[in-house]
């Protein structure tokens, strides 16, 4: 069994069985949507569908990329892809780093035979994209028949892995080259630590138009790695378990930067989905709930979760007087004090960056 193959199986087992979520909040709970007691429409008139990268999704929901590179991972990918096909949702594949290193692992990523119509995201780490170059990355995209590429950033996770990457130079330039040269959209995705305003500004300047914020408060990959690492790495992983920008703040930061937003990081139910839409997300990605549902009850359980989410989103849109997901952006809401503090911090950081050198003293 290869090192990557073994690591993929460990990740799956830990996410299914262990406490791997951050102890901090996503701050989505700080978004309190006001109830509309007299919505001037019927439930049948509420249309939760969205257009994303040329595809129509029945609801603004993406089954987020989770795994690949091992036979069990292939079973999960195919099962969840079948769910996405039936439910009319989008789906992402897990990191294709293993496929880049070993083409014989393609079957663990191949889902088009069960999901020919879904919006499908390929997935590769920024370090691997830098090292592989655009031509090789395009080969990985075409090998799985993907419609778009997620380039994931996971510096904190890599630092906790004993075998992880340590050199992240040149990644922004590599992303810019992918945006310029690939024939498919490029989404830059964090992996549980969110984005700061400064990073988002750099991505926008590099030509990026869409990010998956994957904020803090959901699955903590530093926590996952701490459960499988050496003693020193376990200590670092626990120190960084709650590191990052909360999901709700990262969504707003990305919208302020003029980027299209996919929201992920601790999204657990339809209310979290609609809160994310209200903050400006175009669609919302969920991973852990679908993985655990699939492990507990296969396609039937994962499909039932998809249906509950779609029905819940539609009902909640009606309850805030929104006929479409985009209309949720103007729905009345109250922002709690903790999230408000994060959003005010963004303005303070902008003011600090504008100060002349030396004026901080």
């Amino acid at each position: 069994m290869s090192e990557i193959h073994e690591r993929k199986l460990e990740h799956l087992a830990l996410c299914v069985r262990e406490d791997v979520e951050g102890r901090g909040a996503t701050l989505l709970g700080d978004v309190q949507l006001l109830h509309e007691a007299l919505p001037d429409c019927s439930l049948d008139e509420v249309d939760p569908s969205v257009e994303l990268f040329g595809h129509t999704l029945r609801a603004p929901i993406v089954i987020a990329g989770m795994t690949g590179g091992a036979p069990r991972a292939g079973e999960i990918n195919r099962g969840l892809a079948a769910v996405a096909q039936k439910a009319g949702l989008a789906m992402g594949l897990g990191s294709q780093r293993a496929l880049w290193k070993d083409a014989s692992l393609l079957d663990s990523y191949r889902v088009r035979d069960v999901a020919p119509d879904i919006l499908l995201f390929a997935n590769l780490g920024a370090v691997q994209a830098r090292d592989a170059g655009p031509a090789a990355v395009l080969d990985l995209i075409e090998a799985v028949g993907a419609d778009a590429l997620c380039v994931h950033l996971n510096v904190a996770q890599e630092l906790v892995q004993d075998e992880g990457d340590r050199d992240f130079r040149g990644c922004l330039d590599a992303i810019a080259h992918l945006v310029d040269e690939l024939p498919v959209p490029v989404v830059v995705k964090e992996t549980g630590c969110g984005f700061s305003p400064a990073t988002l500004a750099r991505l926008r300047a590099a030509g990026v138009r869409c990010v998956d914020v994957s904020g803090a408060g959901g699955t903590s990959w530093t926590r996952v790695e701490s459960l499988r690492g050496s003693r020193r790495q376990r200590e670092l992983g626990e120190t960084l378990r709650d590191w990052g920008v909360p999901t709700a703040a990262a969504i707003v930061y990305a919208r302020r930067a003029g980027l299209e937003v996919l929201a992920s990081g601790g999204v657990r139910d339809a209310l979290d989905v609609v809160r994310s839409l209200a903050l400006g997300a175009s669609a919302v990605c969920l991973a852990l709930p679908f993985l655990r549902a699939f492990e507990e009850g296969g396609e039937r359980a994962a499909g039932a979760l998809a249906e509950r989410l779609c029905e819940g989103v539609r009902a909640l849109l009606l309850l805030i007087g929104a006929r479409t997901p985009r209309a949720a952006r103007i729905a009345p809401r109250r922002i709690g004090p903790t999230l408000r503090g994060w959003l005010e911090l963004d303005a303070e950081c902008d003011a600090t960056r504008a100060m002349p050198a030396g004026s901080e003293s």
Side-chain angles (χ1 to χ4, degrees), residues 3-317:
E3 174 189 296
I4 293 179
H5 184 163
E6 183 176 2
R7 185 165 71 243
K8 297 294 184 185
L9 294 178
E10 287 184 31
H11 285 167
L12 288 172
L14 290 169
C15 287
V16 169
R17 299 170 189 163
E18 300 291 339
D19 174 16
V20 296
E21 297 185 80
R23 294 162 298 194
T26 64
L27 297 188
L28 291 171
D30 257 20
V31 182
Q32 298 177 3
L33 301 171
L34 271 64
H35 172 59
E36 174 52 75
L38 283 171
D40 192 25
C41 64
S42 72
L43 184 61
D44 288 341
E45 291 177 302
V46 175
D47 180 6
S49 68
V50 294
E51 294 288 326
L52 190 62
F53 299 133
H55 286 69
T56 300
L57 310 187
R58 174 188 165 198
I61 295 170
V62 180
I63 301 176
M66 289 175 250
T67 192
R72 179 55 183 155
E75 294 173 20
I76 294 169
N77 280 333
R78 289 173 60 81
L80 293 178
V83 169
Q85 175 75 21
K86 183 176 180 180
L89 308 180
M91 177 183 161
L93 297 169
S95 172
Q96 292 170 252
R97 180 178 188 172
L99 180 59
W100 176 49
K101 292 179 173 292
D102 184 353
S104 70
L105 297 173
L106 177 59
D107 281 348
S108 70
Y109 298 94
R110 187 176 279 153
V111 300
R112 277 301 187 194
D113 58 325
V114 297
D117 305 313
I118 66 171
L119 170 60
L120 182 66
F121 294 90
N123 186 343
L124 192 65
V127 170
Q128 288 70 53
R130 176 199 67 193
D131 295 345
V137 174
L138 181 58
D139 287 343
L140 291 174
I141 296 167
E142 293 178 340
V144 297
D147 305 293
L149 171 69
C150 285
V151 179
H152 69 258
L153 311 177
N154 65 335
V155 174
Q157 179 187 8
E158 294 290 339
L159 293 178
V160 180
Q161 281 185 12
D162 288 318
E163 68 276 30
D165 296 316
R166 299 293 187 269
D167 183 357
F168 307 98
R169 294 171 295 181
C171 287
L172 183 61
D173 286 343
I175 290 169
H177 288 312
L178 293 176
V179 171
D180 286 341
E181 299 181 32
L182 291 181
V184 300
V186 174
V187 178
V188 177
K189 170 182 172 57
E190 236 295 333
T191 51
C193 295
F195 286 107
S196 71
T199 302
L200 291 162
R202 293 166 65 207
L203 288 171
R204 178 65 189 266
V208 174
R209 292 295 174 262
C210 182
V211 294
D212 177 347
V213 298
S214 191
T219 301
S220 168
W221 284 99
T222 54
R223 165 66 173 168
V224 172
E225 297 298 348
S226 75
L227 294 171
R228 56 176 295 273
S230 66
R231 179 178 178 180
R232 184 180 70 84
Q233 298 304 93
R234 286 198 300 272
E235 292 175 353
L236 178 60
E238 283 303 304
T239 299
L240 298 177
R241 182 172 180 173
D242 301 313
W243 177 259
V245 178
T247 298
I251 294 170
V252 177
Y253 291 168
R255 286 296 300 158
R256 287 177 176 174
L259 295 163
E260 184 167 17
V261 181
L262 304 182
S264 66
V267 176
R268 296 295 177 254
D269 56 27
L271 182 54
D272 283 344
V273 172
V274 176
R275 285 166 168 160
S276 299
L277 297 174
L279 292 175
S282 297
V284 179
C285 311
L286 298 90
L288 193 63
F290 277 104
L291 175 62
R292 288 182 170 172
F294 186 83
E295 288 294 277
E296 290 171 7
E299 286 183 35
R300 182 184 296 273
L305 171 60
E307 289 302 315
R308 290 196 302 273
L309 287 168
C310 292
E311 292 170 3
V313 167
R314 193 175 191 184
L316 283 160
L317 289 175

Side-chain angles (χ1 to χ4, degrees), residues 307-360:
E307 289 302 315
R308 290 196 302 273
L309 287 168
C310 292
E311 292 170 3
V313 167
R314 193 175 191 184
L316 283 160
L317 289 175
L318 178 68
L319 290 172
I320 61 173
R323 293 172 184 256
T324 66
R326 183 168 289 271
R329 297 183 184 181
I330 59 173
R333 83 290 304 274
R334 176 185 180 275
I335 301 299
T338 305
L339 177 56
R340 190 165 59 247
W342 278 89
L343 302 185
E344 291 169 354
L345 175 65
D346 182 17
E348 292 172 6
C349 289
D350 284 342
T352 301
R353 286 192 293 270
M355 292 171 66
S359 62
E360 297 88 340

